[in-house]
């Protein structure tokens, strides 16, 4: 059983005597104009009653009436999509609302005046540490519905009980640990459930929080995300009334903050190889949430895959460590780990999985660590096969240096890594 907390929404039903026709520009992937037209043409003859075989007698008045209702050239009208509405009249469904990015997305939507329904588990947060009261406080301003997005029947029933329709679905769902089964359960199945359930209740736009690393899929969670991305694209191709925005961010600040306390306590900064194997343009949770909410109403983000990073140039692990030592006023001290050590460990785990299938996730975690140690979180240039700082868009104002400075002052509260810790 699910518990739902909701407020009243306003919906605008269309007239029974009206349908919609669609016009397209030369940009075939973009939904341009939606016009309201009469579903059945008016017949002037129906206004006159006559007996069979009796000729119609025309008068000046009748001829004027015919002229006034004769077919004319269609007149372009205002597009009838939710993007023309005031945000307070746009109903947005958010799944993954209690996650690291999701809760900031909910706050940003509320700040901009949208009507928000946030889906949450009864026990949310890192390792289910938040109860319902804590969740309601975190998502204040939203209509919170406690349900299970991994069970489509349960989720459908929860939304049906709300008695409202939706314009947009925003999915911030992500696997908690990157394990094989969890990746497919959350990054694909649960996310698809939110698509199906939202579509049943009228949602015509889907904003997906994906990841930039799916462009080089070597891990299960990347393959799961890509499969969902592909299905969004196919849905838009078969239904011109549906659109999507796929957001592929680079590294999050919290994923780079795990060593702040260690370095503060005098420990060396750990990095793989020479510290230059990879680079990223990290983005703050607030800046990313702002970009995601931009995708709700912006025409220029319709039916697009949108890689996005934070401001400034890409930073290698070596440069990240140097920023941290500078803030602390300490001489840089690094500990370099040969990347081959991870390759050896992964090889051993892969061999053991054949005998002990229960080690499947342990082997996957090793591959995840190896991936992030060597692959850049930047756009992969298809022409050169190299990662490109210049091709990776920047957004927002928050810098990694600002984040490090805040963590040094206040700690990592609210930035807990949970099951995703490497160091």
């Amino acid at each position: 059983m699910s518990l739902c907390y909701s407020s009243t929404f306003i919906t605008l039903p269309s007239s029974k005597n009206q349908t919609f026709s669609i016009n397209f520009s030369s940009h075939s992937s973009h939904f341009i104009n939606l016009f309201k037209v009469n579903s059945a043409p008016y017949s002037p003859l129906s206004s006159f009653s006559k007996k069979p075989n009796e000729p119609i007698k025309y008068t000046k008045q009748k001829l004027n009436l015919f002229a006034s209702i004769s077919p004319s050239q269609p007149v372009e009208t205002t597009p009838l999509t939710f993007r023309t509405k005031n945000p307070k009249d746009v109903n947005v469904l958010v799944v993954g609302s209690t996650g690291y990015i999701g809760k900031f997305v909910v706050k940003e939507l509320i700040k901009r005046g949208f009507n928000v329904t946030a889906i949450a588990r009864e026990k949310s947060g890192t390792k289910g540490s938040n109860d319902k009261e804590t969740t309601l406080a975190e998502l204040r301003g939203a209509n919170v519905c406690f349900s299970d997005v991994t069970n489509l029947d349960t989720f459908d029933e929860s939304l049906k009980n709300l008695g409202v329709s939706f314009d947009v679905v925003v999915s911030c769902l992500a696997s908690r640990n990157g394990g094989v089964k969890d990746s497919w359960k959350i990054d694909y199945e649960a996310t698809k459930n939110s698509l199906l359930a939202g579509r049943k209740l009228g949602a015509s736009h889907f904003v997906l929080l994906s990841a930039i690393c799916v462009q080089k899929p070597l891990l299960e969670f990347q393959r799961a995300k890509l499969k969902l991305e592909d299905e969004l694209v196919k849905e838009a191709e078969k239904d011109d009334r549906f659109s999507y925005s796929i957001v592929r961010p680079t590294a999050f600040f919290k994923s780079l903050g795990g060593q702040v306390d260690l370095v503060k306590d005098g420990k060396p900064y750990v990095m793989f190889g020479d510290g230059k194997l990879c680079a990223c343009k990290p983005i703050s949770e607030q800046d990313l949430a702002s970009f995601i909410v931009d995708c709700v109403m912006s025409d220029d983000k319709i039916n697009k895959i949108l890689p996005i990073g934070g401001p400034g140039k890409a930073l290698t692990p070596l440069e990240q460590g140097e920023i941290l030592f500078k803030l602390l006023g300490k001489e840089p001290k690094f500990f370099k780990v040969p990347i081959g050590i991870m390759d050896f460990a992964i090889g051993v785990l892969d061999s053991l999985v054949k005998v002990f299938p229960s080690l499947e996730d342990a082997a996957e975690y090793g591959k995840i660590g190896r991936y992030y140690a060597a692959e850049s979180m930047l756009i992969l240039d298809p022409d050169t096969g190299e990662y490109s700082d210049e091709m990776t868009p920047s957004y927002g104002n928050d810098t990694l240096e600002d984040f490090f400075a805040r963590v040094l002052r206040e700690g990592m509260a609210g930035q807990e890594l949970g099951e995703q810790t490497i160091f």
Side-chain angles (χ1 to χ4, degrees):
M1 179 180 292
S2 61
L3 298 175
C4 297
Y5 298 75
S6 66
S7 63
T8 303
F9 289 79
I10 297 174
T11 58
L12 298 174
S14 60
S15 169
K16 292 182 179 179
N17 294 323
Q18 294 174 334
T19 57
F20 298 94
S21 65
I22 301 168
N23 283 5
F24 295 91
S25 74
S26 58
H27 303 285
S28 60
S29 65
H30 291 282
F31 176 68
I32 302 300
N33 287 319
L34 191 63
F35 300 107
K36 185 189 295 185
V37 298
N38 289 331
S39 58
Y42 182 88
S43 174
L45 296 180
S46 63
S47 299
F48 303 93
S49 60
K50 69 182 186 71
K51 297 178 181 179
N53 303 318
E54 180 180 345
I56 298 173
K57 297 180 180 180
Y58 293 96
T59 65
K60 182 176 181 181
Q61 289 78 11
K62 288 180 180 180
L63 288 173
N64 287 339
L65 176 60
F66 270 80
S68 68
I69 58 177
S70 296
S72 59
Q73 293 298 316
V75 178
E76 185 169 324
T77 61
T78 304
L80 297 174
T81 77
F82 68 87
R83 294 181 181 86
T84 65
K85 298 180 183 178
N86 188 297
K88 69 181 178 63
D89 298 320
V90 177
N91 296 341
V92 182
L93 176 68
V94 182
V95 293
S97 62
T98 59
Y100 174 61
I101 300 301
K103 57 189 175 185
F104 284 92
V105 169
V106 170
K107 290 176 183 177
E108 184 67 20
L109 284 165
I110 293 170
K111 176 182 174 183
R112 299 195 196 183
F114 290 97
N115 213 346
V116 183
T117 297
I119 305 300
R121 292 171 289 149
E122 293 191 8
K123 289 289 186 179
S124 63
T126 305
K127 298 182 179 179
S129 58
N130 293 341
D131 58 17
K132 286 188 286 188
E133 288 70 26
T134 302
T135 299
L136 288 170
E138 280 190 347
L139 302 177
R140 186 175 289 108
N143 305 297
V144 180
C145 177
F146 294 97
S147 188
D148 182 5
V149 75
T150 65
N151 185 312
L152 183 56
D153 290 338
T154 298
F155 189 40
D156 273 339
E157 187 66 21
S158 297
L159 295 183
K160 181 180 178 182
N161 289 339
L162 293 175
V164 299
S165 61
F166 296 99
D167 299 295
V168 183
V169 177
V170 178
S171 174
C172 298
L173 291 168
S175 167
R176 289 175 286 273
N177 54 37
V180 175
K181 291 183 176 61
D182 196 59
S183 293
W184 286 99
K185 181 179 180 180
I186 305 299
D187 291 300
Y188 176 68
E189 292 176 11
T191 309
K192 184 171 182 178
N193 286 348
S194 66
L195 169 64
L196 296 174
R199 292 286 279 146
K200 288 178 184 177
L201 292 175
S204 60
H205 187 57
F206 195 99
V207 182
L208 174 68
L209 174 60
S210 187
I212 201 167
C213 59
V214 301
Q215 62 190 333
K216 189 176 181 180
L218 302 177
L219 306 169
E220 286 304 312
F221 83 86
Q222 296 166 339
R223 298 183 185 104
K225 286 182 181 293
L226 273 178
K227 183 173 175 61
L228 197 283
E229 285 189 10
D230 183 60
E231 294 193 10
L232 284 177
V233 173
K234 289 178 179 177
E235 182 74 8
E237 288 174 346
K238 74 179 183 181
D239 186 350
D240 297 319
R241 296 166 296 179
F242 175 79
S243 59
Y244 63 85
S245 298
I246 296 171
V247 181
R248 290 181 175 179
T250 61
F252 301 154
F253 279 179
K254 80 165 184 177
S255 65
L256 306 178
Q259 298 192 68
V260 173
D261 287 340
L262 294 174
V263 173
K264 186 178 180 179
D265 291 339
K267 303 292 193 303
Y269 188 91
V270 181
M271 58 190 185
F272 290 95
D274 61 358
K276 301 177 182 178
L277 292 175
C278 59
C280 65
K281 298 177 77 169
I283 188 168
S284 72
E285 64 276 5
Q286 184 57 61
D287 282 342
L288 179 55
S290 178
F291 184 82
I292 289 171
V293 175
D294 287 348
C295 294
V296 171
M297 299 289 270
S298 297
D299 289 329
D300 63 352
K301 293 177 175 59
I302 294 173
N303 292 345
K304 290 183 180 178
I305 293 176
L306 303 160
I308 195 68
K313 76 180 193 69
L315 300 170
T316 65
L318 177 63
E319 292 169 321
Q320 296 164 26
E322 289 173 342
I323 290 172
L324 187 52
F325 283 112
K326 176 185 173 184
L327 289 170
L328 288 165
K330 294 184 177 182
E331 190 69 24
K333 182 169 58 174
F334 296 97
F335 183 77
K336 300 178 180 179
V337 179
I339 194 72
I341 290 178
M342 297 194 74
D343 292 332
F344 175 76
I346 291 169
V348 171
L349 286 169
D350 278 342
S351 298
L352 290 174
V353 167
K354 297 175 182 178
V355 182
F356 305 103
S358 61
L359 294 175
E360 179 184 55
D361 280 350
E364 188 69 11
Y365 300 152
K367 293 172 185 175
I368 292 172
R370 172 65 170 80
Y371 191 100
Y372 286 116
E375 301 292 340
S376 291
M377 297 298 106
L378 301 169
I379 285 184
L380 190 62
D381 187 333
D383 295 328
T384 65
E386 301 291 330
Y387 291 106
S388 172
D389 180 355
E390 294 74 20
M391 293 178 66
T392 306
S394 294
Y395 182 91
N397 301 301
D398 300 336
T399 67
L400 184 63
E401 184 170 353
D402 294 336
F403 170 73
F404 281 164
R406 187 172 76 248
V407 172
L408 287 171
R409 292 191 310 269
E410 306 170 6
M412 285 282 287
Q415 303 283 340
E416 293 82 3
L417 293 174
E419 300 172 76
Q420 301 168 355
T421 305
I422 295 178
F423 297 115

